[in-house]
């Protein structure tokens, strides 16, 4: 059988996904762990979610506060219609177990015996309390790979502290450097720490699988949200260690650029970002907006006077043609209809029996 791509068959080899034949038991909740297992499921792994019989991550019969449902309607089974849950848990199977009961733990151990990886993101004491920590699981299957995602790691004085991504973004200093110089610290628009930890966890699983293939040994991966995010602020940490200079909140400015800002455009809540990294780019910007000679201290006003007469996409095309780094500020409604993403086939159109048909990133 050949490879079938968009209705066409190529060659005589059946194409398989990279992780086909791999089984992952996913105990994780909320964002970081489910995001990691989603990526692995996308690569072909069989992911079995083990959800609490007492407190399910998808919610119960009543609609969850703040959850997004198709057409705003939770329906009779809101736990199957949540946009958040369906996006993070696509391509997965699920089973409901009560791990506080002997029977639930026995079923879980039977699953571990026929699986390759376990992912969990409880606080460290939880798996120990269940009697399902890594030393126990290793006795069941010596080559098992266990990924434990937690806020601060399995050891240290903060070991049992709990947090979501928002708290971690504050604890690594990301919130401290986000905002304007005269404003309070701000968090990013998404749970950035969870996304970073999820990516790290998926990569760690791939490395552990390679290690097991070479040595036959499993391992316990201790992954901290805080330690996953901190390296992304490396320049600020090094600046302080070298120069005792703490970073400042700069709003839309960036210390690595000559000039950077976000400017209003024509239309309701319409914006564009512009970044200049060299004198040549600055001259290209001035020429593009019809201001070849002028003072840099007036450049903000000159740019916005020009952008206000253009819609974001139009301004971006003009500036990009001139060699200026510019990008329209888009919302979700713009992304789902973006012609570039459509041409590249970025969104997958998925039909869910209860949530309906929608584009998934």
């Amino acid at each position: 059988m050949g490879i079938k791509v968009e209705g066409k068959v190529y060659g005589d080899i059946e194409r398989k996904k990279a992780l086909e034949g791999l089984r992952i038991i996913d105990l994780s909740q909320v964002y970081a762990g489910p995001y990691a297992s989603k990526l692995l499921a996308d690569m072909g792994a069989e992911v079995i979610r083990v959800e609490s019989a007492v407190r399910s991550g998808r919610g119960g019969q009543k609609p969850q506060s703040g959850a997004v449902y198709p057409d705003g309607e939770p329906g009779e089974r809101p736990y199957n219609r949540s946009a958040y849950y369906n996006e993070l848990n696509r391509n997965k199977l699920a089973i409901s177990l009560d791990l506080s009961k002997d029977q639930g733990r026995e079923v879980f151990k039977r699953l571990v015996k026929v699986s390759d990886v376990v992912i969990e993101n409880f606080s460290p004491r939880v798996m120990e309390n269940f009697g399902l920590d890594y030393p126990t699981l290793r006795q069941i299957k010596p080559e098992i790979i266990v990924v434990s995602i937690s806020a601060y790691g399995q050891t240290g004085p903060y070991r049992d502290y709990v947090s979501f991504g928002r708290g971690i973004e504050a604890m690594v200093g990301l919130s401290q450097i986000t905002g304007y110089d005269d404003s309070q610290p701000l968090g990013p628009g998404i749970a950035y720490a969870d996304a970073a930890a999820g990516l790290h966890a998926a990569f760690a699983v791939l490395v552990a699988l390679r290690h097991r293939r070479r040595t036959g040994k499993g391992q316990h991966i201790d992954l901290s949200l805080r330690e996953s995010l901190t390296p992304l602020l490396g320049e600020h940490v090094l600046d302080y260690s070298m120069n005792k200079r703490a970073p400042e909140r700069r709003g839309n400015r960036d210390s690595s650029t000559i000039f950077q800002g976000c400017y209003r455009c024509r239309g309701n809540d319409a914006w564009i970002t512009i970044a200049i990294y060299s004198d040549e780019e600055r001259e290209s910007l001035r020429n593009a907006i019809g201001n070849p000679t002028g003072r840099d201290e007036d450049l903000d006003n000159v740019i916005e006077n020009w952008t206000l007469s253009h819609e974001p996409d139009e301004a971006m095309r003009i500036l990009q043609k001139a060699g200026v780094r510019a990008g329209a500020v888009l919302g979700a409604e713009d992304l789902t209809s973006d012609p570039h993403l459509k041409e590249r086939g970025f969104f997958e159109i998925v039909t869910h029996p209860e949530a309906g048909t929608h584009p998934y990133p």
Side-chain angles (χ1 to χ4, degrees):
M1 182 178 178
I3 300 173
K4 190 175 182 180
V5 180
E6 295 183 353
K8 298 180 181 179
V9 177
Y10 300 88
D12 297 320
I13 302 174
E14 185 177 356
R15 185 176 184 180
K16 293 186 177 181
K17 291 188 175 181
L19 298 184
E20 197 169 315
L22 187 81
R23 180 175 291 134
I24 297 172
I25 306 303
D26 181 13
L27 283 161
S28 63
Q29 304 176 70
V30 191
Y31 192 168
Y35 184 49
S37 59
K38 179 190 80 168
L39 296 174
L40 298 168
D42 286 348
M43 290 186 273
E46 179 187 75
V47 176
I48 303 174
R49 283 190 54 75
V50 175
E51 300 189 346
S52 170
V54 179
R55 187 185 64 182
S56 171
R58 72 174 77 189
Q61 293 290 343
K62 294 182 179 180
Q64 289 181 303
S65 175
V68 175
Y69 300 105
D71 301 318
E73 292 292 335
E76 294 182 2
R77 302 203 296 177
Y79 49 85
N80 270 343
R81 289 171 59 81
S82 164
Y84 182 86
Y85 183 90
N86 282 322
E87 197 281 321
L88 281 174
N89 293 291
R90 66 188 184 214
N91 294 328
K92 302 178 188 179
L93 305 172
I95 185 173
S96 180
L97 294 176
D98 186 347
L99 297 180
S100 67
K101 303 288 180 61
D102 290 340
Q103 187 178 6
R105 289 193 293 270
E106 285 308 310
V107 172
F108 180 76
K109 289 177 180 179
R110 286 164 55 193
L111 280 173
V112 169
K113 197 166 186 177
V114 294
S115 300
D116 300 281
V117 180
V118 173
I119 299 177
E120 58 93 3
N121 65 347
F122 298 115
S123 60
R125 62 181 178 270
V126 173
M127 292 297 279
E128 293 177 3
N129 291 344
F130 283 147
L132 297 172
D133 55 1
Y134 175 65
T136 302
L137 300 185
R138 186 173 56 182
Q139 290 177 9
I140 299 168
K141 186 168 185 177
E143 66 271 30
I144 194 72
I145 295 165
V146 177
V147 183
S148 295
I149 306 171
S150 61
Y152 298 100
Q154 302 293 304
T155 60
Y158 297 169
R159 173 182 184 271
D160 292 322
Y161 286 11
V162 293
S163 182
F164 288 127
R166 298 298 191 191
I168 297 301
E169 288 143 17
M171 285 292 287
V172 304
L174 179 59
S175 299
Q176 179 64 24
I177 62 172
T178 304
Y180 292 94
D181 57 2
D182 58 351
S183 77
Q184 63 187 18
L186 299 174
I190 64 164
Y192 197 60
D194 285 298
L199 286 167
H200 278 99
F203 180 74
V205 168
L206 299 179
V207 175
L209 288 168
R210 176 172 172 79
H211 174 78
R212 189 178 71 179
R213 187 172 65 183
R214 297 177 65 185
T215 67
K217 297 179 180 179
Q219 58 185 286
H220 185 203
I221 299 168
D222 173 5
L223 198 149
S224 154
L225 265 70
R226 192 186 195 192
E227 292 168 15
S228 291
L229 188 56
T230 299
L232 301 185
L233 281 76
E235 62 186 281
H236 299 300
V237 175
L238 284 174
D239 192 10
Y240 185 80
S241 67
M242 292 176 177
N243 305 307
K244 296 296 182 284
R245 182 169 53 202
E248 299 175 352
R249 287 189 287 279
R250 296 174 176 269
N252 288 310
R253 303 301 193 198
D254 189 317
S255 59
S256 65
T257 63
I258 292 178
F259 193 84
Q260 179 169 296
C262 186
Y263 303 93
R264 292 176 298 165
C265 294
R266 188 173 68 210
N268 181 39
D269 197 24
W271 302 81
I272 188 171
T273 60
I274 300 171
I276 301 298
Y277 282 81
S278 68
D279 291 335
E280 291 77 14
E281 290 177 8
R282 180 165 47 193
E283 292 309 307
S284 296
L285 170 66
R286 287 190 176 281
N287 289 328
I289 65 176
N291 184 258
T293 59
R295 299 180 303 172
D296 280 352
E297 53 266 33
D298 297 330
L299 197 51
D300 266 326
N301 292 329
V302 171
I303 292 173
E304 190 153 276
N305 285 335
W306 181 82
T307 58
L308 280 169
S309 65
H310 299 79
E311 293 183 350
D313 283 348
E314 177 193 13
M316 179 177 70
R317 287 194 297 270
I318 293 171
L319 294 176
Q320 285 284 348
K321 188 175 181 180
V324 176
R325 293 173 173 86
V329 178
L330 303 183
E333 69 280 10
D334 304 306
L335 286 174
T336 52
S337 61
D338 184 86
H340 179 81
L341 294 178
K342 280 190 172 182
E343 184 175 317
R344 289 178 55 79
F346 174 75
F347 288 103
E348 293 285 342
I349 305 301
V350 178
T351 298
H352 186 280
E354 296 193 47
T357 301
H358 306 281
Y360 283 63

